[in-house]
Amino acid sequence: MKFIILLITFVGIHSLKTVLKFGGSSIKDIVRINNVGEIIVNELEKGNKPLLVFSAIDDTTNRLLKAGKESVKNDNFDIHDIKSKHYEIIFHCNDKKLEKKVEQYFNEIENILSGINLIDDFSSKTKDKLVSYGERLSVRIISSYLNKNFGLDCKYFDSWNIGLETIHDNKINNEVFNEDSSKVLELNQNVNYYLNKDKIPIITGYICKNAGGKITTLGRGGSDLTATFIGGVINADQIQVWKDVDGLMTSDPRKVKNVLPVPEVTYEEARELAHFGAKILHPISMQPASKYNIPVLIKNSYNRSHPGTIILKDRKNKNLVTAITSKGNIILIDIISTRMVNQFGFLSKVFKIFEEFETSIDVIASSEISISLTLDKNNLDNKLIEKLNEIACVNVNLSYSIISLISDVSKSTKVIGEIFQKLSENNINVDMISQGASKNNISIIVKSEHENDALNLIHDIFFKN
Ligand code: ASP
Ligand code: MG
């Protein structure tokens, strides 16, 4: 008896709370879901208490959005491909209740699509409602599959049924989770209740509801945020984000030869990377992890033995540069004040206009009478330029790219020196440079035609195989 109690205490001490998030391609079919099953079993064998967050199966979100868009114009939309993907998995569940629910959901999806066709409108509310079926289906199906085929004790939840709620954040114009203490307490209590009973909660990523009960979404790739938020609130020991790549790389392998894996980055660096073009993480998903200081491990579900990337508060490795990203389709705007003296307030007038148009600026350099800044081409509004023209001379330059070095800015003199030397040897002009606004980012602007060459040349300086 004493031995058993001792053993339980021992296991108790070492049992870690882990949140595991699986993206669509990690659960796209039976083979991949079996692989997820093995990952969970492995987690349980270590004595850990896992909680799972799932995206929609494969590219269901894209397919639903496509069906919605097409339904505006024609009434013979086809969701056959979505259905068959789901039914292939359900076939192995032997679960009548599940089959009924899934049938009901597919009927609802078809009704929504007919509704879109009838009223010729695909509003953002309808969009959220339509795509929400992706995650609602995936948690139900995969939970049933894992229980049946792996003997697990999973319990699925729509995020709003376990204590999550979204509010609209005007500053970033995005839905975020409500962090009111009562909501946080509710989530914490619910999750711990099930973990203490040795159940494995499986929660829908990306989708939620607001206080009014309307379905909301967190923006594409938003299940990362669901996972980090829950991980933060329940004070998890680790958040694992399972993807189809080996974690973060020193650059984009489609653009750069000889990229290397990045074993460690800080929350700040990961945030910058997400913002400046590395599409691997949802841009605001690092916030809860960093607020609650929970390590985030990015792993490849297709290559489980690869160590992946760990994201932490501080990293041991003190490389000069951690990674390099690039982003094309950038517009460079020069704004020069027309009056050369007493320029008080010039900067503020310019920024007021950007605020009025809710346009966010990526990189900026300024003097008393002039400002150069960059915008994403998609954010360019001619009315904004007209407004700027009323107070300044404005030059709009198209076809630029930003190259961002995630780097320790305190060593920037060395970094910038090396970049400029290499680029000038190769006749590539740097049109603008920005550093210091963030402690981790040095950005340069070059013409898009030089983007790839510049990226490769810079990568070669800092990362040698
Ligand atoms: N299924 C959603 C998407 O494809 C959310 C996610 O994958 O994180 O964006
Ligand atoms: Mg997805």
Side-chain angles (χ1 to χ4, degrees):
M1 186 66 176
K2 252 191 193 152
F3 172 71
I4 295 175
I5 294 172
L6 251 171
L7 189 71
I8 292 172
T9 328
F10 180 77
V11 172
I13 291 169
H14 289 271
S15 118
L16 305 180
K17 270 196 258 181
T18 50
V19 173
L20 282 68
K21 179 247 148 168
F22 293 93
S25 64
S26 296
I27 49 171
K28 72 175 191 174
D29 55 27
I30 296 284
V31 176
R32 301 320 310 161
I33 298 173
N34 282 335
N35 183 59
V36 167
E38 285 166 21
I39 293 171
I40 314 296
V41 169
N42 197 9
E43 202 65 17
L44 293 171
E45 281 170 358
K46 283 193 234 156
N48 294 347
K49 285 182 179 291
L51 172 150
L52 316 180
V53 173
F54 286 144
S55 299
I57 288 169
D58 200 12
D59 55 352
T60 302
T61 311
N62 282 340
R63 285 170 190 252
L64 287 170
L65 285 172
K66 190 160 167 260
K69 269 187 217 137
E70 280 172 8
S71 297
V72 178
K73 291 192 212 104
N74 64 53
D75 61 359
N76 53 1
F77 47 80
D78 186 9
I79 58 161
H80 178 79
D81 54 346
I82 306 179
K83 278 184 171 173
S84 63
K85 196 157 268 178
H86 288 80
Y87 277 113
E88 267 165 38
I89 306 163
I90 295 166
F91 180 72
H92 299 269
C93 295
N94 197 11
D95 181 343
K96 287 277 170 285
K97 202 174 135 215
L98 173 73
E99 284 165 28
K100 264 193 121 165
K101 193 71 191 173
V102 170
E103 200 185 315
Q104 177 203 324
Y105 279 173
F106 280 126
N107 285 337
E108 288 176 21
I109 292 174
E110 280 165 350
N111 287 339
I112 294 174
L113 295 176
S114 305
I116 293 171
N117 184 256
L118 268 177
I119 57 172
D120 292 336
D121 187 46
F122 189 32
S123 71
S124 65
K125 258 192 208 153
T126 315
K127 229 176 246 170
D128 285 350
K129 174 103 195 232
L130 179 67
V131 294
S132 76
Y133 286 94
E135 272 73 10
R136 288 200 267 169
L137 284 160
S138 76
V139 294
R140 284 167 173 79
I141 296 173
I142 298 171
S143 149
S144 172
Y145 184 90
L146 293 177
N147 289 349
K148 166 103 177 85
N149 297 284
F150 284 82
L152 301 181
D153 195 1
C154 301
K155 186 165 170 53
Y156 67 80
F157 294 91
D158 292 320
S159 59
W160 50 88
N161 287 332
I162 195 145
L164 287 164
E165 182 181 280
T166 55
I167 47 171
H168 191 78
D169 183 333
N170 290 328
K171 270 191 262 143
I172 53 169
N173 194 22
N174 210 65
E175 295 294 316
V176 294
F177 287 113
N178 185 351
E179 286 191 74
D180 279 1
S181 50
S182 64
K183 286 308 292 179
V184 165
L185 187 69
E186 184 188 337
L187 175 66
N188 213 350
Q189 281 176 344
N190 284 342
V191 169
N192 284 320
Y193 173 82
Y194 292 104
L195 290 182
N196 288 338
K197 288 177 128 198
D198 286 331
K199 302 241 180 241
I200 304 173
I202 299 193
I203 302 171
T204 53
Y206 173 58
I207 62 167
C208 200
K209 280 187 180 173
N210 60 23
K214 287 267 170 298
I215 288 187
T216 54
T217 57
L218 299 159
R220 296 307 304 273
S223 39
D224 290 349
L225 181 58
T226 310
T228 54
F229 184 77
I230 298 176
V233 167
I234 67 166
N235 195 20
D237 294 280
Q238 188 182 61
I239 300 160
Q240 301 172 14
V241 179
W242 290 84
K243 306 244 166 201
D244 55 7
V245 290
D246 292 332
L248 296 172
M249 293 285 150
T250 50
S251 197
D252 184 341
R254 287 164 305 182
K255 296 180 187 164
V256 176
K257 285 175 256 137
N258 309 325
V259 294
L260 299 171
V262 180
E264 263 187 347
V265 292
T266 64
Y267 299 121
E268 276 280 302
E269 290 172 328
R271 191 176 57 89
E272 294 283 338
L273 274 166
H275 185 70
F276 285 95
K279 293 216 176 60
I280 176 159
L281 284 169
H282 183 279
I284 57 173
S285 60
M286 281 309 112
Q287 269 173 23
S290 115
K291 176 173 168 191
Y292 296 97
N293 198 10
I294 318 281
V296 178
L297 179 62
I298 305 180
K299 288 276 290 178
N300 188 353
S301 76
Y302 287 73
N303 187 13
R304 275 155 52 190
S305 58
H306 191 283
T309 302
I310 184 99
I311 309 172
L312 310 146
K313 192 157 159 233
D314 292 306
R315 61 182 162 86
K316 285 181 239 104
N317 168 332
K318 298 287 176 210
N319 285 351
L320 211 48
V321 176
T322 306
I324 308 171
T325 64
S326 71
K327 194 155 107 173
N329 268 331
I330 295 296
I331 293 177
L332 174 61
I333 305 182
D334 297 313
I335 306 162
I336 303 139
S337 168
T338 38
R339 292 167 50 223
M340 299 302 285
V341 283
N342 291 340
Q343 290 311 309
F344 312 115
F346 173 62
L347 294 183
S348 98
K349 272 187 210 147
V350 170
F351 290 128
K352 274 247 154 59
I353 297 176
F354 280 90
E355 193 185 332
E356 188 187 319
F357 283 83
E358 294 182 354
T359 301
S360 64
I361 298 163
D362 273 327
V363 174
I364 180 157
S366 68
S367 73
E368 214 180 13
I369 57 148
S370 75
I371 306 176
S372 295
L373 48 83
T374 65
L375 301 182
D376 198 298
K377 205 175 254 166
N378 300 322
N379 293 340
L380 183 67
D381 182 334
N382 286 335
K383 294 217 182 69
L384 178 142
I385 304 295
E386 277 167 28
K387 258 277 168 64
L388 288 173
N389 259 318
E390 288 170 16
I391 59 159
C393 279
V394 183
N395 290 319
V396 178
N397 309 284
L398 303 170
S399 304
Y400 279 83
S401 296
I402 299 183
I403 296 181
S404 296
L405 286 86
I406 308 305
S407 160
D408 179 354
V409 170
S410 67
K411 312 246 175 58
S412 65
T413 321
K414 185 164 166 39
V415 174
I416 293 170
E418 295 200 30
I419 298 175
F420 273 65
Q421 189 182 344
K422 189 65 162 255
L423 294 184
S424 84
E425 278 165 20
N426 288 275
N427 298 322
I428 296 177
N429 197 38
V430 174
D431 288 80
M432 192 173 148
I433 173 157
S434 163
Q435 63 144 115
S438 134
K439 290 197 168 48
N440 305 294
N441 185 321
I442 300 171
S443 286
I444 61 166
I445 312 295
V446 296
K447 289 214 167 65
S448 287
E449 63 198 72
H450 299 309
E451 177 185 326
N452 265 10
D453 288 344
L455 194 59
N456 277 283
L457 287 165
I458 298 172
H459 189 270
D460 277 352
I461 305 174
F462 299 105
F463 304 102
K464 294 201 179 73
N465 271 318

